[in-house]
Amino acid sequence: LEALGHTLIPLRPALVPWAVPLPWVRDLAGITLEDATITLDRQGHPSERGGFLFTHQGISGPAPMNLSRFIPREGKPPYRLLLDPLPDFDERALPERIRTWSLPLPSRLAAGLKPEGVPSHWTRQHLQETAKRLKAIVLESAVPMGYDKAEVTQGGVALAEIDPKTMASRLAPGLFVAGELLDLDGPIGGYNLAAAGATGWAAGRASASS
């Protein structure tokens, strides 16, 4: 495709889990959060919300995997991620919930987040510090995994060089480009399969009638 004059957006794996070499993360392997927010702690602060899973290697699930699509191309791992396991809770309202520990958190995760000592000795400062920590649990040294774990390839032929109705090349007559050859990717949820099927169908139909 490059030899025919097409622009190739650099390829990289996307929709991948993350390796996080922290002992406490490995200790939580198997724990899931139905709803969490994961943020890339750098300029721009891209974040994703959804299901979250601790694994023996790090973190996975829809939210972390979707976040891998938005890693800046100029960035270099490792990265610092911030996990919010309580995205529906306002940090300002959390101290009172922490005092009674009426929080929807898995017990193994909660055990490492509670303030030290007995609840009757928790000061307002302890409660506020815990609330702040709960809303931004730090995951240091996070590295996105490679193609062997990826669900899609990001990058490919620049979309401006393809007719979106027929998938025909605007540069090479008789050439049709579809699927992951295109610089086209979406989040988890069947969007990439739908894109592959739709562009393949359009290319096949157009090529058969050309």
Side-chain angles (χ1 to χ4, degrees):
L1 289 166
E2 280 187 307
L4 292 170
H6 276 288
T7 302
L8 187 65
I9 308 302
L11 305 178
R12 66 176 182 177
L15 296 184
V16 295
W18 296 72
V20 184
L22 298 175
W24 69 266
V25 171
R26 290 194 297 270
D27 291 343
L28 295 176
I31 287 181
T32 61
L33 301 171
E34 292 185 6
D35 187 20
T37 297
I38 187 76
T39 301
L40 186 63
D41 188 25
R42 59 164 293 157
Q43 187 175 5
H45 300 289
S47 65
E48 285 289 322
R49 181 173 175 174
F52 183 97
L53 170 67
F54 288 98
T55 72
H56 290 289
Q57 293 179 296
I59 59 174
S60 187
M65 294 177 75
N66 282 334
L67 183 67
S68 70
R69 296 177 57 229
F70 301 104
I71 299 171
R73 287 194 171 271
E74 73 280 4
K76 294 182 180 180
Y79 297 97
R80 186 174 190 261
L81 306 181
L82 302 176
L83 168 64
D84 179 358
L86 300 167
D88 284 330
F89 287 73
D90 189 312
E91 184 178 323
R92 293 168 296 181
L94 268 179
E96 291 308 311
R97 297 293 295 265
I98 293 170
R99 187 180 295 280
T100 58
W101 205 252
S102 54
L103 296 170
L105 290 173
S107 58
R108 284 165 58 199
L109 175 60
L113 296 170
K114 282 185 178 180
E116 295 182 356
V118 296
S120 59
H121 294 166
W122 293 347
T123 65
R124 185 70 182 175
Q125 181 179 351
H126 286 147
L127 296 174
Q128 291 174 337
E129 289 174 352
T130 301
K132 186 175 182 179
R133 188 167 68 251
L134 273 169
K135 295 295 285 183
I137 300 172
V138 178
L139 300 170
E140 296 279 11
S141 304
V143 178
M145 294 185 180
Y147 280 110
D148 59 329
K149 299 292 185 180
E151 293 197 6
V152 68
T153 297
Q154 197 171 50
V157 174
L159 297 181
E161 299 171 358
I162 305 298
D163 184 331
K165 292 183 179 180
T166 63
M167 298 294 107
S169 166
R170 299 186 191 275
L171 306 179
L175 175 68
F176 297 82
V177 186
E180 289 197 59
L181 288 172
L182 297 163
D183 178 30
L184 179 66
D185 67 276
I188 287 176
Y191 298 101
N192 294 290
L193 290 173
T199 56
W201 178 86
R205 186 181 185 197
S207 64
S209 61
S210 61

